[in-house]
Amino acid sequence: MNSKGSLEIKRVRKQYKVSGAALQVLDDINLDVKPGEFISIVGLSGCGKTTLLRLIVGLESDYEGEILLDGRRLNGPSLDRGIVFQDHRLFPWLTVEKNIALGIVGKSEKEKKNIIASHIELVGLKGFEKSYPHQLSGGMSQRAAIARALVNQPEILLLDEPLGALDALTRMYMHKELERIWNKEKITMIMVTHDVEEAVYLSDKIVIMSAKPGRLQKIINVPLARPRDRASLDFAEMKEQVLEAFLLHTEHPFSYTI
Ligand SMILES: Nc1ncnc2c1ncn2[C@@H]1O[C@H](COP(=O)(O)OP(=O)(O)O)[C@@H](O)[C@H]1O
Ligand SMILES: [Mg+2]
């Protein structure tokens, strides 16, 4: 197991100013992530999941508390953290290989070529090097975005609802692919998702967040052996446990009683 990629989030609070008023988005967030763990964060829209990932990746520095990567306090964005968003954010005028090449920092042309080839292979896009984003399916575009996020060998890969726009069958296939990539790269992954089944399939731990302000309500360990069998009783029971915790700790804005 990789010894790098541990993350400590300590007493983190984050406010935004909206029309002059303070909006408390994150409150007293505490989380320890071990090297190589797969963590999912589940919570309703607006509870601060993306904000938390933006803090971890270093895009926001104005917050209280501290975030340590391998014991060192974060100081802005750095190559040790990669991120994948829900929309692939590939440049439409560049081919897959050129999009991936853009992410590579500080390598010779020869090294770049090898890195591109090995990452295209890693995400299963061999044969599509010269394709443009509009020629790819949603799943393939996300594979390219994952490759681009991994080219600098980050210690942590952050995934913000990376499969949210895909159809159900492609998602299931991508779960296997993400697990394969995680196994191969042996890096820490932190994924935001709305999908409890996805979280149970992939995660070592599932973090349940509540909204207004965003708080971590519960951390659930997923001790199931891998690869996981969605049809098994254990899997169904785990899913039930996570759903129950989710419903207990989140108040849906549209909930009502008949
Ligand atoms: N740059 C910003 N300025 C002001 N408010 C913001 C900003 N970014 C997010 N917010 C607010 O913070 C809250 C959490 O947003 P976000 O982290 O995107 O939630 P989630 O990803 O869980 O849907 C929302 O109420 C959102 O409107
Ligand atoms: Mg979000």
Side-chain angles (χ1 to χ4, degrees), residues 16-18 23 25 43-52 54 60 160-161 192 194 209 212:
Y16 283 118
K17 285 269 184 293
V18 180
L23 174 70
V25 176
L44 291 175
S45 266
C47 76
K49 305 179 297 296
T50 294
T51 303
L52 183 58
R54 286 175 61 82
E60 301 266 357
D160 195 356
E161 302 189 42
V192 164
H194 279 120
M209 268 184 88
K212 293 188 179 148

Side-chain angles (χ1 to χ4, degrees), residues 162-188:
L163 312 179
L166 306 180
D167 64 85
L169 286 176
T170 308
R171 275 173 93 113
M172 277 205 263
Y173 188 58
M174 286 298 287
H175 294 157
K176 285 194 175 167
E177 287 294 278
L178 255 184
E179 185 172 48
R180 179 181 63 73
I181 293 167
W182 174 66
N183 275 327
K184 180 136 195 300
E185 297 291 286
K186 304 204 183 320
I187 61 173
T188 309

Side-chain angles (χ1 to χ4, degrees), residues 9-241:
I9 302 176
K10 298 182 174 184
R11 301 175 307 280
V12 162
R13 305 180 82 233
K14 166 74 185 164
Q15 284 187 345
Y16 283 118
K17 285 269 184 293
V18 180
S19 313
L23 174 70
Q24 191 73 39
V25 176
L26 296 174
D27 189 29
D28 198 27
I29 304 286
N30 293 283
L31 181 66
D32 279 347
V33 181
K34 294 196 192 79
E37 269 188 326
F38 198 117
I39 306 283
S40 286
I41 301 176
V42 180
L44 291 175
S45 266
C47 76
K49 305 179 297 296
T50 294
T51 303
L52 183 58
L53 290 196
R54 286 175 61 82
L55 260 50
I56 298 171
V57 86
L59 293 170
E60 301 266 357
S61 54
D62 178 22
Y63 61 91
E64 292 173 49
E66 51 181 7
I67 305 180
L68 308 175
L69 176 60
D70 301 324
R72 283 170 284 115
R73 211 187 152 110
L74 292 187
N75 184 19
S78 161
L79 300 183
D80 50 28
R81 281 152 282 144
I83 189 161
V84 175
F85 299 95
Q86 181 171 357
D87 49 334
H88 53 72
R89 302 193 186 188
L90 300 172
F91 291 111
W93 58 86
L94 295 178
T95 60
V96 166
E97 62 182 4
K98 293 237 163 71
N99 264 291
I100 295 173
L102 265 192
I104 304 173
V105 177
K107 300 284 179 189
S108 68
E109 282 309 309
K110 190 164 169 253
E111 285 170 319
K112 260 192 191 175
K113 259 189 147 169
N114 289 335
I115 293 171
I116 294 166
S118 64
H119 282 79
I120 281 181
E121 172 129 32
L122 173 72
V123 299
L125 279 181
K126 240 177 144 198
F128 294 92
E129 293 84 347
K130 309 274 184 233
S131 299
Y132 286 88
H134 76 271
Q135 297 171 312
L136 305 177
S137 68
M140 290 159 87
S141 303
Q142 279 308 54
R143 287 165 190 267
I146 292 168
R148 185 183 52 186
L150 290 173
V151 284
N152 297 304
Q153 296 195 293
E155 295 171 24
I156 299 190
L157 182 66
L158 303 161
L159 302 140
D160 195 356
E161 302 189 42
L163 312 179
L166 306 180
D167 64 85
L169 286 176
T170 308
R171 275 173 93 113
M172 277 205 263
Y173 188 58
M174 286 298 287
H175 294 157
K176 285 194 175 167
E177 287 294 278
L178 255 184
E179 185 172 48
R180 179 181 63 73
I181 293 167
W182 174 66
N183 275 327
K184 180 136 195 300
E185 297 291 286
K186 304 204 183 320
I187 61 173
T188 309
M189 292 198 183
I190 303 179
M191 178 179 73
V192 164
T193 178
H194 279 120
D195 181 342
V196 168
E197 182 169 315
E198 176 169 297
V200 172
Y201 187 83
L202 284 167
S203 316
D204 295 315
K205 284 181 191 159
I206 299 174
V207 177
I208 310 275
M209 268 184 88
S210 63
K212 293 188 179 148
R215 292 201 173 105
L216 299 196
Q217 290 291 357
K218 196 172 167 82
I219 299 174
I220 300 172
N221 287 313
V222 186
L224 305 178
R226 295 172 189 272
R228 293 175 177 164
D229 176 5
R230 289 170 209 269
S232 72
L233 188 59
D234 286 352
F235 194 94
E237 282 173 357
M238 201 67 232
K239 225 172 114 179
E240 188 67 28
Q241 187 187 334

